[in-house]
Amino acid sequence: ALFALVLVAGFASAVLTFTEVTAPSQVNHNQGSIPITFKLSSDVAETNLTLTGTTSTPTGSFWTGLPLNQQSLVAGVPKQFSAVLNIPAHSSGTITANITVTASGGEITRPISISINPTSSLTVEKTKDVTKTQAGTVKVTNTGNTALNNIALTSTGAFDLAFSKDILTLSPGAFETVTVTASGFEDSNFGDNTVIVTAKDTTVSPSVQGTASFVIKETFCSNGSITELGKGLKIKNVNIDNTGKGTDDEWDILDEVTVEVEVENTNNND
């Protein structure tokens, strides 16, 4: 009976503790990997420690670097360990996780709690060019971790754009593709004519916006440039006849110039 009492007292005196845990108090949703360091100390030597990690929120979070098996401690000497807590992009709220250390005499658990900063952001990407005869598309993406409920699409520039949908609602990480149609070329200039598409939500603070641009090139050809008409066309010959005061290479104001362009279809189709 005396031997049993002494043995129990020996187990009770073994103290395993977290002496230091280093973790950020808050992170951004797109940080991805969060390094965590911690120190363990025991008043008796340990030769078979097991370190495990669990996560509760957000969904999809996980540890790398844990579990660790057959770890040892020298009595009274703190030892540092490290692991990485991973969260998916667009997460929000609070990260809740645990580190548990199991020793011969029992186990201890240290909770981890980290706030995720709310961030509003969006991007606009041109996914298909617009021409005089072809509709284009833009892709609007909510790249933050807060909902955007009033994204307004507008355009400014050398010609008009009509949107298939001009007010969008996007949850974090979601996107929507919008069709754009061009018109109003009466005031277009020769060469590049640019329109800027802006997606903006002013209901969040601070407001967020993104932009993309479309360019339509005005050329001598009524149906657009060779690149707009498609690959497989090649300009074979160009004849210029200036009947005014200038030359074929240098034109004066009010010169009457005739331009003949010979185009070759290098494809097999008509």
Side-chain angles (χ1 to χ4, degrees):
L2 178 62
F3 174 78
L5 177 62
V6 172
L7 185 61
V8 171
F11 277 130
S13 65
V15 178
L16 180 66
T17 58
F18 286 92
T19 59
E20 184 179 328
V21 177
T22 302
S25 59
Q26 54 189 17
V27 296
N28 293 326
H29 75 94
N30 55 358
Q31 182 167 331
S33 300
I34 306 164
I36 309 292
T37 60
F38 53 96
K39 290 182 180 180
L40 291 174
S41 180
S42 176
D43 60 353
V44 299
E46 297 282 357
T47 59
N48 193 25
L49 294 177
T50 299
L51 286 69
T52 57
T54 59
T55 60
S56 299
T57 59
T59 301
S61 56
F62 62 95
W63 288 96
T64 52
L66 295 176
L68 290 172
N69 299 313
Q70 297 181 332
Q71 300 299 302
S72 61
L73 289 177
V74 176
V77 179
K79 182 176 181 180
Q80 180 168 297
F81 297 87
S82 62
V84 176
L85 188 53
N86 304 275
I87 62 171
H90 315 296
S91 298
S92 60
T94 302
I95 304 167
T96 54
N98 290 304
I99 301 171
T100 298
V101 181
T102 303
S104 56
E107 67 178 33
I108 58 171
T109 297
R110 174 62 185 259
I112 304 291
S113 180
I114 303 171
S115 298
I116 304 174
N117 297 321
T119 305
S120 300
S121 60
L122 63 84
T123 60
V124 183
E125 178 188 0
K126 177 179 66 176
T127 50
K128 183 180 179 181
D129 279 318
V130 68
T131 70
K132 288 184 176 181
T133 58
Q134 170 187 281
T137 55
V138 290
K139 178 182 177 183
V140 182
T141 304
N142 182 346
T143 54
N145 66 339
T146 61
L148 299 176
N149 297 317
N150 190 34
I151 305 171
L153 290 174
T154 58
S155 66
T156 57
F159 52 91
D160 298 327
L161 282 182
F163 301 98
S164 60
K165 191 175 183 181
D166 58 7
I167 298 293
L168 307 178
T169 298
L170 294 175
S171 58
F175 69 88
E176 187 162 344
T177 299
V178 178
T179 301
V180 296
T181 307
S183 62
F185 303 104
E186 296 80 6
D187 298 325
S188 296
N189 297 317
F190 184 78
D192 290 345
N193 291 268
T194 303
V195 165
I196 304 297
V197 173
T198 300
K200 187 173 184 178
D201 191 336
T202 59
T203 62
V204 293
S205 181
S207 62
V208 293
Q209 72 175 49
T211 61
S213 62
F214 287 98
V215 178
I216 291 181
K217 185 184 293 291
E218 288 286 5
T219 70
F220 289 116
C221 302
S222 60
N223 289 327
S225 66
I226 289 295
T227 55
E228 290 177 345
L229 291 174
K231 296 177 181 179
L233 295 179
K234 175 176 146 183
I235 296 178
K236 189 173 182 182
N237 188 38
V238 178
N239 291 320
I240 300 175
D241 183 19
N242 187 348
T243 59
K245 293 181 179 180
T247 67
D248 291 348
D249 297 324
E250 295 184 3
W251 305 347
D252 291 340
I253 297 176
L254 300 180
D255 279 354
E256 184 174 332
V257 181
T258 302
V259 180
E260 293 182 353
V261 180
E262 185 179 357
V263 179
E264 179 182 0
N265 183 354
T266 58
N267 283 331
N268 293 326
N269 54 331
D270 293 337

